Every structure is written in C-alpha cells, then in structure tokens.
Amino acid sequence: MAAAATATVQVRPRSDSTHRLVTEAWSTQPPIPVDEYADIYGNPVKRLVMPSGSFVLTYDAVVAVPDEPDADPSGEAQAPADEVPGELLHFTLPSRYCLSDELMATAWELFGQSEPGAARVQAICDWVHDNIKFQYGSSNPLTTALDVFNNRKGVCRDLTHLAVTFCRALNIPARYVFGYLPDLYVPADPAPMDFAAWMEVWLGDRWWTFDPRNNQRRVGRVLIGRGRDALDVAMITTFGPAAFKSMKVWADRAEAA
Amino acid sequence: MAAAATATVQVRPRSDSTHRLVTEAWSTQPPIPVDEYADIYGNPVKRLVMPSGSFVLTYDAVVAVPDEPDADPSGEAQAPADEVPGELLHFTLPSRYCLSDELMATAWELFGQSEPGAARVQAICDWVHDNIKFQYGSSNPLTTALDVFNNRKGVCRDLTHLAVTFCRALNIPARYVFGYLPDLYVPADPAPMDFAAWMEVWLGDRWWTFDPRNNQRRVGRVLIGRGRDALDVAMITTFGPAAFKSMKVWADRAEAA
Amino acid sequence: MAAAATATVQVRPRSDSTHRLVTEAWSTQPPIPVDEYADIYGNPVKRLVMPSGSFVLTYDAVVAVPDEPDADPSGEAQAPADEVPGELLHFTLPSRYCLSDELMATAWELFGQSEPGAARVQAICDWVHDNIKFQYGSSNPLTTALDVFNNRKGVCRDLTHLAVTFCRALNIPARYVFGYLPDLYVPADPAPMDFAAWMEVWLGDRWWTFDPRNNQRRVGRVLIGRGRDALDVAMITTFGPAAFKSMKVWADRAEAA
Amino acid sequence: MAAAATATVQVRPRSDSTHRLVTEAWSTQPPIPVDEYADIYGNPVKRLVMPSGSFVLTYDAVVAVPDEPDADPSGEAQAPADEVPGELLHFTLPSRYCLSDELMATAWELFGQSEPGAARVQAICDWVHDNIKFQYGSSNPLTTALDVFNNRKGVCRDLTHLAVTFCRALNIPARYVFGYLPDLYVPADPAPMDFAAWMEVWLGDRWWTFDPRNNQRRVGRVLIGRGRDALDVAMITTFGPAAFKSMKVWADRAEAA
C-alpha cells in the first residue's frame, strides 16, 4: 500500500466458545510489533501500523471442535426482562445496523402469534431464510436491517442483522457473531471463501446458536468475535489509506489424530 | 400503573468522575427489592419489578463537586489511531443515533480545515451550538444525528448526538454522557427541571468534557451514565405497560459546610 | 481521633448474592466526600479521609432475603481441575491466613477417606465445628489457620480460615466471605453484636454456602464481601492513627410488609 | 509422565507491558486442545490435560522491546493512601509469601529514616541486594520473605519477595512480576537458563520497575505475569501426578531488521 496505516485485526478465535485451540502461529511480512487488547465485548484484537509497500499477515491455527452440532434449543423459554442477566440487557436494544425500534411493529405482526421462546426464534430464522435472498454484492457498509427487510436480499451479515433485529424487537437478547465455518466451503461455489456470520440468542438461562443463513444446526463453528452488530466485529478495520489487495481464508477440516 | 412492569433505573452517580458522594438514600413506596449491576460501560443500574398501582421511587444524595469548572482542553492534540487505548476505539464507530458514516463527508467538509485536536472539537461544538436550535419537543426516540443535522433543532440529547457524530466521523473518540447539572436551572425557564446530556472526547491521553448545548465550561456536573449514545444511558427504561406519571429532578447547590 | 486518617469501609452488601436491597442510606457526621470503587474481587468499597476529632459513619439498609435457608449441596461432586472455571482456580491456592500448603498432609490424613464432593466438605465443617472451640479473644491479626489448628480455638473468622484451608489442600476451590447474619443474635450472649464470617465452596458447577461456625444451613445471610481470606474483606481498614471507639452493628429481622 | 494430569501454563507475555509481540507460535506434541482464560490479575493462562506418556510443549515468540532501559523513577513521591487507585490498594496487604505484617517493625527500623518515595524503594532494593546472598537451592515452595530475611539467602524469587514485603510494610503498593530477561544469560554461569522475577512499585501515579536481584535498570524485560507473589504467577502448575523432566528457556537477543 501507499503509506503507513493503522489497522485492527480480529482473527484469533475467542477462548470462551465451544472450540479449543490446539496450535496457532502468527506472523507478518515484514515483521512488525503488534498491540493486543480485549475490546468491550471481550474480543481479542491485534492492532498494528502497516508499513507502506507490500504487507502480508499470516495466522494459522488448528482448532478442535465438538463432534456434535450446535446445541438444540427446542423448548427453551424466553427469559423475562427481570431474569436476563443485567449486563446482557443491552442486547435487547437497537444498534447501528439492527433497527429494532423501526421494525418493532413488523416484528410483532410477523411473529407475535408464535409461541414465545425457542419456537419464536426459529420462526424468525425460517422467515429470514425463506424471504431474504442470499446474493453477493447486494449490500454495502450502510445497509441496515431495515434496508434488508425492504430489499429482500443480502449476504450472511445482512440475514443475521435482520434476525437479530426481530429478536430484539420482541425483547429477546440477541448478539451478532462471526467466525469460521469450515463445511461452508462448497467446491462448486464460485464465490471466494470467506468468514461467516450468525447469531446467539438468550433463551432460558444461556446463549444458543442460530444461523439464519444456513438455518440448520452445524458442526465446526469457530467463533472469533461477538458484538451488537457487524460494526463491532470486523475482521480488519483500517484507519488510513490502506488498499486491500487480497485475502485468503482457509477453514479446512482436519481429521483427529 | 395498570400492571407489574420491569424497569431499569440509572440515577446513582458514577463513582469514577470528578464529583464525590457525601450522603445518599434510596427507597421506594411500596418498598420492593432491587437488583443491581454494572452495565457494559460500568454504569450502575438498578432493576426492579414495579408493582401495579401507584409506585414512587426516591433517590436523594448530597454530592461534592470541584470548585473549578470543567478542565480546559486547549492545545490538546488528537490521538492517532494507534495510540488511543484499544478498548476505547469503539467510540470512533457509528452507533444507533450517531450516524458518523452517513455524515462523514459533511464532517470533513465543515471541519476538515480546522486544526486537529482541541480546536477541531471546539469548532464542532461552536457549529452545533450556533446552528442547531434548542427546542423542546423537536425530536423523538427515533431521531438520529442525521435528522438533527437536517432539521436544525433538538434538545440537549440531540445536540450532543450531532457533536459526538462529527467527532467520530473525524476519528476522534467521543462518548455520550448524562447527569445532573445544577446551575442549569433557570427560574424563568418554563420547562420542567430535567437531566442534562453532554459529551466526553478523547484528546491527548485522557477524556475531556465538552457541552455543545451550553458551549461553556461549567461547575457542578454530576455524571450518572456514559455510553455510545442516549440508548445506553436512559434514566428509566421500562419493559412492559408502565405509565410514567411524573418525575421531579432537583439538583440544587448546597453551600459547603 | 487525633489526626486525619484514610480508611476503607466495606458495609454495603454485594449485589450478586441471594439477598436484594430494598432501601439504603449512607451518611457521615461531619459529612465528607467518599471515594467508591470495586476491589479485585468485586467488593464495593468506600474510601474516605476521616477528619480529626469525633467522626460517625452511618449505614442503614433494609434487605430482602429468601425464606429458604442456604441451598442444600448434598450429592454435589467435586469439580476436576480442568473443569473449574479458570478464573476461579486461584481459590485452590494458599493465602496469607489459609496455609493449605502447610496443612496439606493433615488434610489428606483427616479427610482423604471421605467421599469427594459435598460429603468431604461437610466432613471438614463437622471436624472444625467439633474440634475448634469458639472463644472470643483467642486470636489476633497474625493468627493463621495453622495456628488455629494447633491451638484448637478461635472466632468465626478463624474457624472459617481453617475450613477454607482444608478445602484448598484437597483442591476444592473455597473463598472466605463475611456479612450480616441476623439470627446470629442471641439475647443471652454477652458478646457484642458483630459481623459473621463463613465460606463458599465450588462443587459441581456453582458456589455453595458452608458455615463451619454454626454448621447449619441458615436463613438470612446478607453477604458483604468475598476474598481469599479475612485480609481481603475487612469491615474497616485504616491507614494512619485512627482510634476506633465503638461500633454497633444491628441486623434485625423485619417482617415482610 | 505416568498418567494424565491437568496443568496451567503461563508463557505468553502480557499485552500491557512495554514490549510488543512480533510473531508467536504455540504447539504441543502430541497436539491437544487448550483452554485459555485470564486470571484475576489479567494474566493469560493456558490450561491443558497432559496425556500420559511423553509430552512436549513449545512456545516460540519474537518480541520487540524498547531500546531504553527501565524508566527512571528518581524523585517520584509515595502516593498517599487516599490517592492510590482503590483497586490497587490490596497490593499494600500481606500475602502468602510476603509477610509484611510480621516484618512491619523491621521495615520501619531499616527504612523509616529514608525519604519516602523512590529513594525509600531504592534503599530497600539496595539493602536486599547487599544483604541477601543469591544462591540456587537455598529456598523451597514454603519459604516466605520472613525466612529469607532470617536466612539471608535466596534466588530472584526470594529477593523479590523480601523487597515487596518491605514496600508493603511501608504502605507502598508493590507487586511481584516474572518474565524473560534476555541479557540475564551469562555464558559462564553454570546454572540453567530460567525465568526471572522482579517487582513493580506504585510511586506518583504509575507503576515503576525495580529489580532487587540485579539492582539496575535493564533493557529487554518481557513481562509474562503479575500477582501478589510467586504463588500467582507460576510458569507451570500441575494438578496431579506429572513428572517434570526438563525445561529449556531461550531468551536471546535478535537484532532489529
């Protein structure tokens, strides 16, 4: 790139999800010092000043995941507002992309008849999965859940935003997460390999994984970041004139030893 | 009110600002148990289930404040993105009401020629103070900083949102705060006494107080809550059918013993 | 007192135990500003500079407690070292007063034959309750659990230290807690009303209350502070020449409205 | 080793000291999943269940350190008890190995005439460096600062414990730290390369590095862990029957690119 620029990078998996790190290696070319911190959501972030000229960043990890797919939330009840842990209540509020205040009436209209709890969240995922067309290039950094609802298309980020928004409009705590999802990879898919976004929803007394894009319980999620919406969990954010030439993401399945 | 409803209340001053608590007393009528927690920003929150029927909540405190007005930030430089403490970087991002992405070009156009640092933030406050008319009832819970910019009117919440938004658009960390501001009270003012909103901006290596509504350094701020925008620091939030009959806020000056 | 002295005070109940605050009032005579913070264990602490001369500090609160006694841990298993939440593992280590390294062999000798889990912790409480004589004035600020074991007497602080020590020697996370215990008050008891100390022990996947001094599940605990041992949770700590004239602690039972 | 055993490992440098990570790589042979968490002091810890049989753990990192030696604290004043940040006050209390209560009178006798502040802490380091003989094998896991004072010998862990103890006895916040100190390595030294221990002391409004063992300001410290004393920052702690065959620590100086 043309000149030095500060960047923040989120690639290291969080340590409080279902996977476990086995090996990892981080390096850059040229080698430069990295500042590390946890953001307000506890996500591990690396910050670096990328030098001018070509710059390559490499992160390799082997991660162990459970053999079982995402836990089954069937039958879990919605937690009343006085029982949700206080420090999580902000996950019922609107955020930059998740305009649950604007979509409040719509949410009640579409899902108000469903049974509160896991069934209602599943109804939301079904609706989003069935009504929002997955289409690369259909959204941009200003696209909100309201836009997605109106345009009826988006990428996994957008489908997740809309489902999160409906949950919050119905007072169900919901957070946006992103990470690696290995078996996402389909050889015939012309699109480049990428990170995946899904959501976590508070039911009963814990968080549960829902994935409006795939709308199925999956094996192999490796969670990198959590936040209110995609703003909080960007894989890379640059402050300055960086040009992003290419990114390759591998998330292959390795057989257990 | 008609039926029980859960509410979260922020009235206790934060313990990490310039004031110091001297006495305090909390009670409700009828007396009910309260759940307490710190939210994601460290704000002290009380949560309670308000019974049906009449319900009164009382919080009295005597607070000591410095004799000096807000510290003078003149000459402070803008911190580069690699020197802002990492866990504060999210205060450069857009939020629900502070659409710094939408107002990015406007911010650079209006303030890009000013000297980076305290002078630039002061230029923002001057502009907001001079161009946005203070008018009760001119905004609602969906009003964003973009709306305020377009409509050119608002209350202290709105003026603060707009100033916060301009700061973030220029990569200056800014957070929304609210609290008591005793000498705000003007006998001739027909409006009821209320809480006040202002902002804190990161310059050099610390936070500084700026107040776009009053646009002057003041004595006597008692800070209750901090957050990305007004969503995070509501004095009272209800989950359910509560009807809010009346609120009286006193913030009188007591002479030192 | 003769000259100004800094003091830290722990009287406010923690907000994450089983009780709930209903009303509270704090004041001092003369009125002085108070600094508040959470210590490393999350205990709420007030710090103040006591003026020379007479100084009175008042804290009144009404607190709601569950009707039920402490939860029954019967049958809970000991958590293996790889399942205890990592941030709690330090509660298996020795501390200033709880010399679990010195008493390791003794602990295994006394309790190694008991069934791991709740039964083993109960065996510890039984042994301490039956073998350590409760006697006011039998210990001082340098008295460790090893001294208590050797001298076979102590106050509730000492009995708790010894029980905590045995737990840790057996790799069971244990923490020292102190608080109000209203029905502790016995009219015929010549000793002044005081705070009480007991412990919390990690079994299965949560903390459980054990009380080696009373050795029974009780109603009405109001927990103020938690820590490794009594060092971490002093009701009042002075830095300087304060003379402590008198303290009156009331913890009376109020009937529910 | 003979059977599986849980171990906690602290080898990753903390991210909030003066060094910056450039590259790092973690792996084990055989490869096994690792649990990661931050302990109560914010130290990054890895926890793993070591399988029976041979087990090798490898951590390689390149770290950038400032060219300058430890900052010079000369002239810094001792912070009064009401100005030390509240959450750090526990670093003035005794701990398992740092019996500042037992050595209170000694500390005042030896250092009470020195000028409070940096000069007093330096007097402590001088005394410890001059009076405690550095001798491998002179202490064991039960050795306290009181023992070190009486025996007049120890390793860097023990010298640090004694200096920390004297500081706390004089109301100066002090914490124990350990890490890599590359230029510690002296080819003629028959002892194996090892980690080093030193301390941080709160003077004025920040922490300062003091090193009673070397008693000089040095270049190249890479801080791994902080705590009350050596108990909190063990490089490896095992829960079970592990036999520790060998450890090789390299901390070589690499020239900047």
Side-chain angles (χ1 to χ4, degrees):
Chain A
M1 63 204 69
T6 295
T8 58
V9 179
Q10 296 184 38
V11 290
R12 190 171 207 260
R14 280 182 74 109
S15 57
D16 59 357
S17 190
T18 53
H19 62 267
R20 287 285 174 272
L21 211 58
V22 177
T23 71
E24 71 168 334
W26 163 273
S27 64
T28 59
Q29 196 54 41
I32 55 165
V34 172
D35 177 34
E36 298 184 306
Y37 59 88
D39 71 14
I40 196 172
Y41 299 104
N43 298 310
V45 182
K46 293 174 194 282
R47 178 168 54 176
L48 37 84
V49 181
M50 297 183 291
S52 60
S54 131
F55 178 72
V56 180
L57 182 163
T58 308
Y59 181 73
D60 275 312
V62 173
V63 175
V65 295
D67 291 331
E68 296 299 306
D70 305 323
D72 183 354
S74 301
E76 290 292 325
Q78 181 169 340
D82 61 321
E83 291 183 11
V84 173
E87 69 275 15
L88 302 180
L89 271 181
H90 69 97
F91 284 117
T92 62
L93 298 177
S95 62
R96 172 67 185 95
Y97 293 133
C98 297
L99 305 177
S100 49
D101 40 12
E102 297 273 9
L103 282 166
M104 177 95 46
T106 302
W108 282 103
E109 194 180 307
L110 288 174
F111 310 108
Q113 302 307 316
S114 62
E115 188 193 3
R120 181 168 285 180
V121 178
Q122 188 55 54
I124 290 171
C125 290
D126 290 346
W127 192 95
V128 169
H129 183 259
D130 294 348
N131 288 278
I132 308 298
K133 186 182 173 191
F134 188 92
Q135 185 177 318
Y136 284 110
S138 60
S139 61
N140 65 51
L142 293 176
T143 303
T144 69
L146 182 57
D147 299 325
V148 176
F149 177 75
N150 288 332
N151 299 338
R152 302 289 158 117
K153 56 193 175 190
V155 295
C156 63
R157 163 192 179 281
D158 303 301
L159 276 74
T160 301
H161 278 163
L162 184 55
V164 163
T165 300
F166 284 143
C167 288
R168 293 183 188 165
L170 303 167
N171 282 327
I172 307 168
R175 59 190 184 192
Y176 180 97
V177 304
F178 93 117
Y180 307 102
L181 185 50
D183 44 357
L184 172 70
Y185 184 76
V186 182
D189 190 333
M193 176 64 187
D194 202 351
F195 292 99
W198 60 89
M199 70 175 178
E200 291 178 338
V201 173
W202 186 269
L203 294 173
D205 61 359
R206 52 162 283 199
W207 291 104
W208 299 86
T209 295
F210 286 85
D211 181 345
R213 188 260 203 260
N214 295 298
N215 204 23
Q216 53 177 263
R217 294 161 49 218
R218 294 281 284 267
V219 174
R221 296 184 198 276
V222 178
L223 199 157
I224 303 176
R226 295 188 177 108
R228 293 198 188 173
D229 58 33
L231 262 180
D232 292 322
V233 286
M235 195 269 302
I236 187 159
T237 306
T238 53
F239 299 79
F244 198 39
K245 275 216 182 131
S246 72
M247 168 172 69
K248 287 192 195 161
V249 177
W250 288 266
D252 294 326
R253 184 174 178 180
E255 291 306 313
Chain B
M1 62 206 66
T6 294
T8 58
V9 179
Q10 296 185 37
V11 290
R12 190 170 207 260
R14 281 182 73 108
S15 57
D16 58 357
S17 189
T18 55
H19 62 268
R20 287 284 174 275
L21 211 58
V22 177
T23 71
E24 70 167 335
W26 163 273
S27 64
T28 59
Q29 195 53 42
I32 56 165
V34 173
D35 177 34
E36 299 184 306
Y37 60 88
D39 71 13
I40 196 172
Y41 300 105
N43 299 310
V45 181
K46 292 175 195 283
R47 177 168 55 175
L48 36 84
V49 180
M50 297 183 291
S52 60
S54 128
F55 180 71
V56 180
L57 181 164
T58 308
Y59 181 72
D60 274 313
V62 174
V63 175
V65 295
D67 291 331
E68 296 299 308
D70 304 324
D72 183 355
S74 301
E76 290 292 325
Q78 181 169 339
D82 60 321
E83 291 183 12
V84 173
E87 67 276 15
L88 302 180
L89 271 181
H90 69 97
F91 284 116
T92 61
L93 298 177
S95 62
R96 172 67 185 94
Y97 293 133
C98 297
L99 306 177
S100 49
D101 40 10
E102 297 274 9
L103 282 166
M104 176 95 45
T106 303
W108 282 101
E109 193 180 307
L110 288 174
F111 309 109
Q113 302 305 317
S114 61
E115 188 192 2
R120 180 168 287 180
V121 178
Q122 188 54 55
I124 290 171
C125 290
D126 290 346
W127 192 95
V128 170
H129 183 260
D130 295 347
N131 289 278
I132 308 297
K133 187 182 172 191
F134 188 92
Q135 185 178 315
Y136 283 111
S138 60
S139 60
N140 65 50
L142 293 177
T143 304
T144 69
L146 182 58
D147 299 324
V148 176
F149 177 75
N150 288 331
N151 299 338
R152 301 289 158 118
K153 57 193 174 188
V155 295
C156 63
R157 164 192 178 283
D158 303 301
L159 277 74
T160 301
H161 278 161
L162 184 55
V164 163
T165 301
F166 284 143
C167 288
R168 293 183 188 165
L170 303 167
N171 282 327
I172 307 168
R175 60 190 184 192
Y176 180 97
V177 303
F178 93 117
Y180 308 101
L181 185 50
D183 45 358
L184 171 71
Y185 185 76
V186 182
D189 190 333
M193 177 65 188
D194 203 349
F195 292 99
W198 60 89
M199 70 174 179
E200 291 179 337
V201 173
W202 186 270
L203 294 172
D205 61 359
R206 51 162 283 198
W207 291 103
W208 300 86
T209 294
F210 286 85
D211 182 345
R213 187 262 202 260
N214 295 298
N215 205 22
Q216 53 179 261
R217 293 161 49 217
R218 293 283 282 267
V219 174
R221 295 182 198 277
V222 178
L223 198 156
I224 302 175
R226 295 188 177 108
R228 292 197 188 176
D229 57 35
L231 262 181
D232 293 322
V233 287
M235 195 270 301
I236 187 159
T237 305
T238 53
F239 298 79
F244 198 38
K245 273 215 182 133
S246 71
M247 168 173 70
K248 287 193 194 160
V249 178
W250 289 267
D252 294 327
R253 184 174 178 180
E255 291 306 313
Chain C
M1 64 205 67
T6 295
T8 58
V9 179
Q10 295 185 38
V11 291
R12 190 169 207 260
R14 281 181 73 108
S15 56
D16 58 356
S17 189
T18 53
H19 62 268
R20 287 285 174 271
L21 212 56
V22 177
T23 72
E24 72 168 334
W26 162 273
S27 63
T28 60
Q29 194 53 43
I32 56 166
V34 172
D35 178 35
E36 299 184 306
Y37 58 89
D39 71 13
I40 196 172
Y41 300 105
N43 299 310
V45 182
K46 292 174 194 282
R47 177 167 55 175
L48 35 83
V49 181
M50 298 184 290
S52 60
S54 130
F55 180 71
V56 180
L57 181 163
T58 308
Y59 181 72
D60 275 312
V62 174
V63 175
V65 295
D67 292 330
E68 296 299 307
D70 305 323
D72 183 355
S74 301
E76 289 293 324
Q78 182 169 337
D82 61 320
E83 290 183 12
V84 173
E87 68 276 15
L88 303 179
L89 270 182
H90 69 98
F91 284 117
T92 61
L93 298 177
S95 62
R96 172 66 186 95
Y97 293 133
C98 297
L99 305 178
S100 49
D101 40 11
E102 296 273 8
L103 282 166
M104 177 94 46
T106 302
W108 282 103
E109 195 181 305
L110 288 174
F111 309 109
Q113 303 305 316
S114 62
E115 188 192 4
R120 179 168 286 180
V121 178
Q122 189 54 54
I124 290 172
C125 290
D126 290 344
W127 191 94
V128 169
H129 184 258
D130 294 345
N131 288 278
I132 308 297
K133 187 181 171 192
F134 187 93
Q135 186 178 314
Y136 283 111
S138 60
S139 60
N140 65 50
L142 293 177
T143 304
T144 69
L146 181 57
D147 299 324
V148 175
F149 177 75
N150 289 332
N151 300 338
R152 302 287 158 119
K153 56 194 175 189
V155 295
C156 64
R157 163 192 179 281
D158 303 300
L159 276 74
T160 301
H161 278 161
L162 184 54
V164 163
T165 300
F166 284 143
C167 288
R168 293 184 188 164
L170 303 167
N171 282 327
I172 308 168
R175 60 190 184 191
Y176 180 97
V177 303
F178 93 118
Y180 309 102
L181 184 50
D183 46 354
L184 170 71
Y185 184 75
V186 182
D189 189 333
M193 175 64 189
D194 201 351
F195 292 99
W198 60 90
M199 70 175 180
E200 291 178 337
V201 173
W202 186 269
L203 294 172
D205 61 359
R206 52 161 282 196
W207 291 104
W208 300 86
T209 295
F210 286 85
D211 181 345
R213 188 261 202 260
N214 295 298
N215 204 23
Q216 52 178 259
R217 295 161 48 218
R218 294 282 283 267
V219 173
R221 297 183 198 276
V222 178
L223 199 157
I224 302 175
R226 296 190 177 107
R228 291 197 189 177
D229 56 34
L231 262 180
D232 292 322
V233 286
M235 195 269 301
I236 188 158
T237 306
T238 54
F239 298 79
F244 198 39
K245 274 215 182 131
S246 72
M247 169 172 69
K248 287 193 194 159
V249 177
W250 289 266
D252 295 326
R253 184 175 177 179
E255 292 306 314
Chain D
M1 64 205 67
T6 294
T8 58
V9 180
Q10 296 185 39
V11 291
R12 191 171 205 260
R14 279 182 74 108
S15 56
D16 59 356
S17 189
T18 53
H19 62 268
R20 286 286 173 273
L21 211 57
V22 178
T23 71
E24 72 169 333
W26 162 274
S27 64
T28 60
Q29 194 54 41
I32 56 165
V34 173
D35 178 34
E36 298 184 306
Y37 59 89
D39 70 14
I40 197 172
Y41 300 105
N43 298 310
V45 182
K46 292 174 194 282
R47 178 168 55 176
L48 36 84
V49 180
M50 297 183 291
S52 60
S54 131
F55 179 71
V56 180
L57 181 164
T58 308
Y59 180 72
D60 275 312
V62 174
V63 174
V65 294
D67 291 331
E68 295 300 306
D70 304 323
D72 183 356
S74 302
E76 289 292 325
Q78 181 169 338
D82 61 320
E83 290 183 12
V84 173
E87 68 276 14
L88 302 180
L89 271 181
H90 70 97
F91 284 116
T92 62
L93 298 176
S95 62
R96 172 67 186 94
Y97 293 133
C98 297
L99 305 177
S100 49
D101 40 11
E102 296 273 7
L103 282 166
M104 177 94 47
T106 301
W108 281 103
E109 195 181 305
L110 288 174
F111 310 109
Q113 302 305 317
S114 63
E115 189 192 3
R120 180 167 285 180
V121 178
Q122 189 54 55
I124 290 170
C125 290
D126 290 345
W127 191 95
V128 170
H129 184 259
D130 294 346
N131 289 277
I132 308 298
K133 186 181 172 192
F134 187 93
Q135 185 177 315
Y136 283 110
S138 59
S139 60
N140 65 50
L142 293 177
T143 304
T144 69
L146 182 57
D147 299 325
V148 175
F149 177 75
N150 288 331
N151 299 338
R152 302 289 157 117
K153 55 193 177 191
V155 295
C156 64
R157 164 192 178 281
D158 303 300
L159 277 73
T160 301
H161 277 162
L162 184 54
V164 163
T165 300
F166 284 143
C167 288
R168 293 183 188 166
L170 303 167
N171 283 327
I172 307 168
R175 59 190 184 191
Y176 180 97
V177 303
F178 93 117
Y180 308 101
L181 185 49
D183 45 355
L184 172 71
Y185 184 75
V186 182
D189 190 332
M193 176 63 189
D194 202 350
F195 291 99
W198 60 90
M199 70 175 178
E200 292 179 337
V201 173
W202 186 270
L203 294 172
D205 61 359
R206 52 161 282 198
W207 291 103
W208 300 86
T209 294
F210 285 86
D211 181 345
R213 187 259 203 262
N214 294 299
N215 205 22
Q216 53 177 262
R217 294 162 49 220
R218 294 281 284 267
V219 173
R221 296 183 198 276
V222 178
L223 199 156
I224 303 176
R226 296 188 177 108
R228 293 196 187 175
D229 57 34
L231 263 180
D232 293 322
V233 285
M235 195 269 301
I236 188 159
T237 305
T238 53
F239 299 79
F244 198 39
K245 274 215 182 132
S246 72
M247 169 173 69
K248 287 193 194 160
V249 177
W250 288 267
D252 295 326
R253 185 175 178 178
E255 293 306 314

